[in-house]
Amino acid sequence: MDWDKLRIFHAVADAGSLTHAGDTLHLSQSAVSRQVRALEESLGTTLFHRHARGLILTEQGEMLFDATKAMSRKLDTTAARIRDSEEHVFGELKVTTTVGFGTLWLVPRLSKLYARYPDLKIDLMLEERVLDLPMREADLAIRMKEPSQADLIRRRLLNIRMRLYATQEYLERIGTPRALADLTGHRLICQNPQTPQVGSGAALSQMLLGQGITSTLMVNNYFGVLQGVLSHVGIGVLPDYLTADFHNIIRVLPEVESTEVPVFLAFPEELRSSRRVAAFRDFVLEEIQELRRTLGE
């Protein structure tokens, strides 16, 4: 069936008059009449009984009108959902980031995002492997390096550094190192330089392990390193963004740190107009601004 003819038929059946339907559709009576007649011919049936007081639907016309009414309601509902979706964020969003950043920084902040968008569903994939965004392994990524694929929208969030941290209790018990050589009397907590992690962090750990430190604790992610530090096990190699949330860790040897690690947010070009992606992106940018203020202070 011709969709345009069905639209005109529906207006005529609803109005009960060619003239009134023409006024609604901004068409002449003769144009409306031709479209209805053409529809009747294509269906091989009569849809209206014509009389002096207007038009009355035939049995076949009633059947078709029931169908067009259902279509009209469905279209109205869909249009309303489209309008609502411009303000209402809902549905699933697949996000990927590293274990450390996701566990220690992102997840603790998500309650604010859910308070704003309670119908949002987030599938958070924490792993060091870089997922393929154009192949839709994830919708959005926060990575510790600039994405190499050209068909991605990317935003540099901030730069972080790996530094040395310990608790006051540990330092009071074992002593505070004043120079790199003093680390030989302490336990170093870090990731094995051979495990997947940012290159800057691996290079710093490699350098420290070369100082002849006798006691170490190797953990394959920064969450484990942080737990070791918080439990007063030793001095840990950790990203500086943690100081915004963990005020009980103290920086040790301020002159020792990694090179800068860029943090990027990225998503496929095709998701530029996605409300879910925009909502998550804006939320992360707000939180990053707060983090940058805290680190700056």
Side-chain angles (χ1 to χ4, degrees):
M1 297 182 190
D2 187 307
W3 286 97
D4 198 49
K5 291 183 176 63
L6 287 176
R7 178 179 65 89
I8 293 172
F9 161 79
H10 181 80
V12 173
D14 190 52
S17 162
L18 293 173
T19 301
H20 293 157
D23 292 340
T24 301
L25 298 169
H26 305 292
L27 296 172
S28 67
Q29 180 180 336
S30 59
V32 173
S33 180
R34 283 195 303 272
Q35 292 295 314
V36 170
R37 194 178 307 115
L39 180 60
E40 289 177 325
E41 290 172 359
S42 69
L43 294 173
T45 189
T46 301
L47 299 173
F48 295 97
H49 292 304
R50 294 162 176 80
H51 61 90
R53 291 177 297 177
L55 302 174
I56 298 176
L57 287 165
T58 63
E59 181 179 355
Q60 291 79 7
E62 289 283 1
M63 292 170 59
L64 186 58
F65 189 42
D66 287 341
T68 58
K69 282 191 293 186
M71 291 164 57
S72 179
R73 286 194 297 270
K74 185 68 174 178
L75 289 171
D76 288 343
T77 300
T78 301
R81 288 199 65 186
I82 291 172
R83 288 193 299 271
D84 289 345
S85 68
E86 294 177 357
E87 299 177 357
H88 182 56
V89 176
F90 60 94
E92 184 180 83
L93 182 68
K94 294 186 291 184
V95 178
T96 180
T97 189
T98 61
V99 175
F101 192 83
T103 304
L104 299 172
W105 188 85
L106 181 58
V107 169
R109 288 165 169 76
L110 287 181
S111 61
K112 301 177 188 177
L113 180 65
Y114 282 120
R116 195 178 302 176
Y117 306 112
D119 296 326
L120 188 61
K121 299 176 182 177
I122 296 175
D123 182 2
L124 185 59
M125 294 167 282
L126 304 179
E127 53 183 291
E128 306 309 313
R129 181 173 67 93
V130 177
L131 300 187
D132 194 327
L133 297 184
M135 293 301 293
R136 300 306 298 275
E137 287 188 309
D139 299 319
L140 184 147
I142 300 175
R143 307 304 308 189
M144 306 300 124
K145 62 183 294 186
E146 183 171 6
S148 58
Q149 292 155 310
D151 51 351
L152 296 177
I153 296 173
R154 71 213 55 208
R155 176 75 177 264
R156 190 167 187 151
L157 299 177
L158 78 162
N159 297 318
I160 62 175
R161 291 179 185 270
M162 306 301 163
R163 293 169 171 165
L164 294 173
Y165 296 96
T167 59
Q168 183 66 44
E169 180 177 329
Y170 170 84
L171 296 175
E172 288 176 354
R173 187 175 77 245
I174 307 299
T176 301
R178 302 300 178 186
L180 198 58
D182 295 340
L183 287 178
T184 55
H186 292 267
R187 182 172 298 109
L188 180 69
I189 311 172
C190 65
Q191 291 195 60
N192 189 309
Q194 307 307 315
T195 60
Q197 59 180 303
V198 295
S200 296
L204 177 60
S205 295
Q206 186 71 59
M207 183 274 289
L208 293 170
L209 292 169
Q211 301 302 308
I213 298 173
T214 57
S215 181
T216 63
L217 170 62
M218 298 285 190
V219 188
N220 66 346
N221 61 63
Y222 287 121
F223 179 71
V225 175
L226 175 65
Q227 292 306 306
V229 171
L230 293 176
S231 300
H232 325 297
V233 174
I235 297 173
V237 178
L238 289 167
D240 58 4
Y241 61 76
L242 291 178
T243 57
D245 297 326
F246 297 92
H247 305 294
N248 52 336
I249 60 175
I250 299 169
R251 188 175 179 188
V252 178
L253 297 176
E255 71 279 6
V256 177
E257 62 183 11
S258 73
T259 57
E260 285 188 338
V261 179
V263 181
F264 280 85
L265 181 147
F267 54 90
E269 176 73 36
E270 63 191 84
L271 294 180
R272 179 187 290 272
S273 61
S274 167
R275 287 293 300 165
R276 293 188 295 275
V277 168
F280 189 89
R281 176 203 62 203
D282 293 346
F283 165 75
V284 169
L285 290 176
E286 290 173 13
E287 292 298 315
I288 288 293
Q289 280 296 108
E290 182 60 31
L291 173 63
R292 293 177 70 169
R293 283 194 292 270
T294 302
L295 295 180
E297 293 168 359

